[in-house]
Amino acid sequence: MAIDKSKNRKLKIALILTFLILLIFGKNLLKRKNFNELGDSFISFYEDRLVVESYIFSISEKLFRIKLLINHCDFENDYSHVIEDIIAYEEGILKLVGDFESTKLTTKEEGFLNDFKGIIENNLRIADYAQLYSDEKGVNIENVKEYNTYIERAISDLEKLSQIQLEEGKILAMNSDQVVNRSKIWAQFEIAALVILLVIIYLLIYTSKKINEEIV
C-alpha cells in the first residue's frame, strides 16, 4: 500500500517537474528572442537614427553654404566658380540623400525626404550666374527671393526629419526598456522555479528514505 502511494506521489512529482522544465525551456527561448529584439533595437538606433542625424547635419551645412552663395552673390569679385560650387554642394547633398534612402524609413520620413530631394533636383538648379546677378542689372531680386523660398522649405523638411529621429529614437528606447523589464520578470520566475525544483528534490529524497524505513 505504501509502495502504491509512493508511486502516485512520484508520478505527480514527475508531472510537476516536467511542467517546470518545459516552462524553463520556454523561458530560455523567450530570453533568446528578447536578446535578439534588444540587439535589433541597438542596431536600428545606430544605423537608422544616429547615422541619419549625421546625414541631416551634413546636408544642412551644405544647404547653408548654398544659401550664402545665393544671398551674397553681389559680393563675389570672382563669380566664375559660384555655379560650380553650388552644383558641387547639390551633388553632395543628393549623395547623402541616397544614403538616407537606404536606411529604414517611416512613411513620414519618406514623404519629407522626397519633398526635400525634389527641391534640390528641380528648384535649386542654377544654370547661369546671371540668374542671380549681372553687372548691368545687379542682383536679380525676384530669383534670389524664389530660391530662398525653396531653401526655407528644404530647411523645414530637414527640421521635420530631425524631429522624427528624436521621436523614433524615443520609441526604440522605450521598446528596449520593455524588453529589459520582461527579461527581469522571467529571471525572477527562473529563480522561483529553481527553488521549487530544489524543494521537490528534497521531498523526493526525504520520502524515499521514509518509505524505505517503513518497508524495513
Side-chain angles (χ1 to χ4, degrees), residues 20-34:
L20 288 173
I21 289 169
L22 288 174
L23 280 179
I24 292 172
F25 179 72
K27 180 263 176 187
N28 286 331
L29 291 177
L30 184 62
K31 187 176 181 180
R32 184 179 299 177
K33 179 176 178 291
N34 287 340

Side-chain angles (χ1 to χ4, degrees), residues 5-17:
K5 286 183 179 179
S6 174
K7 285 183 178 179
N8 290 333
R9 199 177 292 119
K10 286 182 178 180
L11 180 60
K12 290 178 181 178
I13 290 172
L15 290 173
I16 294 171
L17 285 172

Side-chain angles (χ1 to χ4, degrees), residues 69-193:
L69 287 171
I70 291 173
N71 288 345
H72 299 288
C73 57
D74 53 330
F75 296 146
E76 292 291 333
N77 295 322
D78 179 15
Y79 55 78
S80 60
H81 63 87
V82 171
I83 300 302
E84 287 80 2
D85 288 347
I86 291 175
I87 291 172
Y89 287 133
E90 288 175 345
E91 293 304 319
I93 287 172
L94 290 175
K95 182 181 182 304
L96 288 167
V97 168
D99 293 334
F100 197 155
E101 288 174 327
S102 68
T103 65
K104 186 178 180 181
L105 298 175
T106 66
T107 303
K108 286 171 64 177
E109 271 184 304
E110 191 172 3
F112 289 128
L113 191 59
N114 285 339
D115 184 67
F116 177 84
K117 185 177 180 180
I119 292 170
I120 301 300
E121 288 181 329
N122 304 318
N123 305 120
L124 290 182
R125 294 298 192 184
I126 302 173
D128 192 331
Y129 191 75
Q131 291 179 264
L132 301 175
Y133 177 85
S134 65
D135 292 331
E136 297 79 16
K137 297 181 180 179
V139 177
N140 190 325
I141 296 175
E142 185 177 341
N143 279 352
V144 169
K145 281 184 177 180
E146 184 180 1
Y147 289 132
N148 271 306
T149 298
Y150 285 121
I151 288 173
E152 290 304 317
R153 187 172 129 194
I155 290 172
S156 176
D157 284 338
L158 289 177
E159 288 173 348
K160 288 169 183 172
L161 286 167
S162 185
Q163 183 61 36
I164 289 172
Q165 307 318 306
L166 292 175
E167 293 170 358
E168 292 298 316
K170 186 177 179 179
I171 291 171
L172 286 171
M174 290 174 62
N175 290 340
S176 298
D177 190 52
Q178 289 176 357
V179 170
V180 170
N181 288 334
R182 284 203 307 266
S183 296
K184 287 180 179 178
I185 291 169
W186 279 103
Q188 291 172 351
F189 162 77
E190 188 173 30
I191 292 171

Side-chain angles (χ1 to χ4, degrees), residues 33-49:
K33 179 176 178 291
N34 287 340
F35 275 124
N36 288 337
E37 287 180 5
L38 196 59
D40 290 342
S41 292
F42 281 124
I43 291 170
S44 181
F45 183 80
Y46 175 75
E47 293 183 350
D48 300 324
R49 303 302 155 211

